[in-house]
Amino acid sequence: MAILAVQQITKAGITPTFAAAAGGGDSFQFGGNEHVEVVNGGGGGINVTVPAQQACGTFGVSNTAHDIVVAVGAGARAKIKVPPVGYVDANGRVQLTYSGVTTVTVGIFS
């Protein structure tokens, strides 16, 4: 599992970089305004999962945890906005897992 660096987007822009997705998953330090971009260069679709770190609850009623699962088609890319509540672990990081990592790259942007 790799800890991915968050790339800051400025008004001058950035040249984004992408890292190979790790088979055991990746994580990044959450500051509240990050989004994940996944590029699937493979010939088959994959799923990217952001595991929930706590159960959701509203109006005093607790529910089960709800993972975010995003399908990324073959040769496609997806941007995932992580909500500020429920997906940050005890270390202040958001975890990412992938159903496949061959020719899959990922970048974190804020």
Side-chain angles (χ1 to χ4, degrees):
M1 176 175 284
I3 300 173
L4 302 171
V6 176
Q7 301 172 61
Q8 299 297 319
I9 301 171
T10 68
K11 64 182 176 183
I14 65 168
T15 301
T17 59
F18 293 85
D26 293 308
S27 67
F28 64 92
Q29 196 67 36
F30 190 70
N33 193 35
E34 291 77 14
H35 75 269
V36 178
E37 187 166 348
V38 178
V39 181
N40 179 7
I46 64 159
N47 287 329
V48 179
T49 301
V50 182
Q53 300 297 316
Q54 65 189 43
C56 65
T58 53
F59 304 110
V61 178
S62 284
N63 297 308
T64 59
H66 300 283
D67 295 344
I68 298 170
V69 179
V70 177
V72 185
R77 65 176 55 210
K79 293 182 181 181
I80 305 165
K81 183 69 174 166
V82 179
V85 177
Y87 298 92
V88 180
D89 69 14
N91 296 313
R93 295 188 190 119
V94 171
Q95 305 294 320
L96 304 169
T97 61
Y98 317 94
S99 63
V101 294
T102 304
T103 65
V104 175
T105 57
V106 61
I108 311 300
F109 305 94
S110 174

